[in-house]
Amino acid sequence: MTTRPARGGRNPTMDQVAEAAGVSRATVSRVINGAPTVDAKIREMVQRAIAATGYVPNLAARTLVTRRTNSVALVISEPDRPDDSSFLNRVFTDPYFGRITAGATGALRLHDIHLVIIPTDSSDHHHVIRYLRQGHVDGVLLISSHERDPLPRQVHDLGIPAVLSARPAQPIPISHADVDQRLGARLAAEHLLGRGCRRLATISGPLDIPAGLDRLDGFRSYLANRGFADVPSVEGDFTRAGGEECAHRLLAQHPDVDGLFVASDLMSEGALRAVQDLGRRVPDEVAVVGFDDSSAALDCRPLLTTVRQPLEEMAAEMAELLMADIASPGRLPRSVTFQPTLVVRDSA
């Protein structure tokens, strides 16, 4: 294969790639745009010519042909955010969002797709919808689970390919990936009973999202079937400060609690601080089990026993579901449920 250097330092052209490969300009265009009808040997010749000439496809021109942007949006939606700085701080420091972003980015990189991160709340939804409607991205990975959040329905109604990060709070025909939340809570209850706890309680997640409800119901249902009908609970908000405040309130009302299931690792970190501030030893006097197996579990003292949900794998599956929806518009929605596991450390 011979190549012709670009004149005057200008970028190589598609015509030069065609000449180097010994094919037509139209064939080079079909290879660049991923046409499935190109013979494998010819595709390889063109790809070698692209590498030899240093040709870089014009993304704008390619977008006009394929109607693809090679970008997808990761939209992180919270229904209300009274303080923008605290909301953004949570987005970029909460291990949950970090793990979702890492898993999605890794999977999309294999498809040469870029990820655009968009935090939003109800006051900003119209800007997000306008951005999506204008075709800046090929699809949406949507983190939203609050029952009152209208964004999942709005995105669905746009007709753009979209995948949700959990079971939808409202009946919307949209693909999603989730973990078996109820099973995870049952694993926590089983472990606490197995180590001899008999006065159990829980700090739930927000009860306007499916994960909060399912973890609470899974924990209580398992215990009810084993004769523990009255299980105290306090509703939390998935933050450290919320976990600490809830634990103080719960233990003030029920000082004899000896086993505590906290519905997130961040809340567990705050709850452990409260338990120890009250002079209770962990796990000897109060055993604590969290949920997530995030980096927060390793920041806890003692190290946190927790239910692991494989968020990186779940996010990668979300990305693959989205790529399939982009490639085949009109596909029926699919759901994928991952299995949780218990990671035993020092807190229970």
Side-chain angles (χ1 to χ4, degrees):
M1 177 182 299
T2 60
T3 62
R4 181 194 304 172
R7 298 190 192 94
R10 290 187 294 178
N11 292 331
T13 66
M14 191 182 294
D15 288 328
Q16 289 174 302
V17 174
E19 182 179 344
V23 298
S24 69
R25 190 178 190 278
T27 298
V28 174
S29 178
R30 289 198 297 273
V31 171
I32 290 172
N33 292 314
T37 56
V38 181
D39 179 80
K41 290 184 178 179
I42 293 177
R43 183 184 305 278
E44 183 180 353
M45 289 170 54
V46 173
Q47 289 171 340
R48 286 205 311 252
I50 290 173
T53 60
Y55 174 72
V56 178
N58 184 311
L59 181 58
R62 182 177 177 183
T63 298
L64 289 174
V65 174
T66 64
R67 298 184 181 274
R68 299 277 177 84
T69 66
N70 289 334
S71 298
V72 302
L74 174 64
V75 179
I76 303 170
S77 178
E78 291 284 340
D80 301 295
R81 56 178 191 193
D83 182 337
D84 276 358
S85 62
S86 64
F87 171 73
L88 292 175
N89 182 65
R90 182 184 170 203
V91 168
F92 292 110
T93 61
D94 189 323
Y96 176 86
F97 297 123
R99 292 175 65 194
I100 288 284
T101 302
T105 300
L108 292 171
R109 187 180 295 121
L110 300 177
H111 297 278
D112 199 23
I113 300 295
H114 302 288
L115 189 67
V116 180
I117 301 175
I118 306 175
T120 182
D121 72 346
S122 54
S123 68
D124 199 38
H125 283 174
H126 62 287
H127 292 298
V128 175
I129 293 299
R130 184 174 62 186
Y131 178 85
L132 299 177
R133 185 182 288 120
Q134 289 172 345
H136 294 291
V137 294
D138 299 323
V140 180
L141 300 171
L142 179 56
I143 300 179
S144 171
S145 50
H146 288 271
E147 186 176 16
R148 64 184 182 275
D149 188 358
L151 194 59
R153 171 66 67 181
Q154 292 170 339
V155 170
H156 169 267
D157 291 345
L158 282 179
I160 186 172
V163 178
L164 196 60
S165 64
R167 175 170 63 86
Q170 298 178 352
I172 303 172
I174 186 170
S175 296
H176 67 273
D178 205 348
V179 71
D180 189 333
Q181 309 281 357
R182 290 171 56 89
L183 174 58
R186 291 199 296 270
L187 293 175
E190 183 179 26
H191 180 73
L192 288 170
L193 285 182
R195 63 170 288 116
C197 298
R198 291 298 178 267
R199 295 174 298 281
L200 296 107
T202 179
I203 299 173
S204 76
L207 297 181
D208 65 340
I209 67 173
L213 286 168
D214 289 347
R215 292 175 196 180
L216 176 61
D217 187 57
F219 187 72
R220 281 181 159 173
S221 296
Y222 182 90
L223 293 175
N225 289 334
R226 280 146 187 82
F228 296 85
D230 183 20
V231 178
S233 69
V234 177
E235 182 180 359
D237 62 358
F238 287 154
T239 68
R240 288 185 186 89
E244 185 171 4
E245 189 274 330
C246 286
H248 274 295
R249 184 151 39 103
L250 184 63
L251 291 172
Q253 297 170 353
H254 306 276
D256 60 344
V257 165
D258 64 357
L260 182 61
F261 169 51
V262 186
S264 82
D265 289 351
L266 276 181
M267 289 198 302
S268 296
E269 193 173 354
L272 281 170
R273 185 179 302 135
V275 170
Q276 292 164 338
D277 284 348
L278 292 170
R280 308 286 296 277
R281 290 176 297 143
V282 179
D284 297 335
E285 295 179 273
V286 182
V288 178
V289 177
F291 199 109
D292 284 331
D293 194 29
S294 67
S295 58
L298 300 178
D299 291 336
C300 291
R301 292 296 178 269
L303 298 178
L304 185 66
T305 293
T306 186
V307 176
R308 182 177 194 275
Q309 55 173 338
L311 285 178
E312 292 83 0
E313 294 91 332
M314 292 163 63
E317 182 62 32
M318 287 172 59
E320 294 299 338
L321 287 171
L322 183 61
M323 296 310 299
D325 287 347
I326 291 170
S328 303
R331 279 200 339 155
L332 291 175
R334 293 186 57 213
S335 64
V336 179
T337 302
F338 287 76
Q339 297 303 298
T341 55
L342 185 71
V343 180
V344 178
R345 297 192 179 98
D346 301 331
S347 68

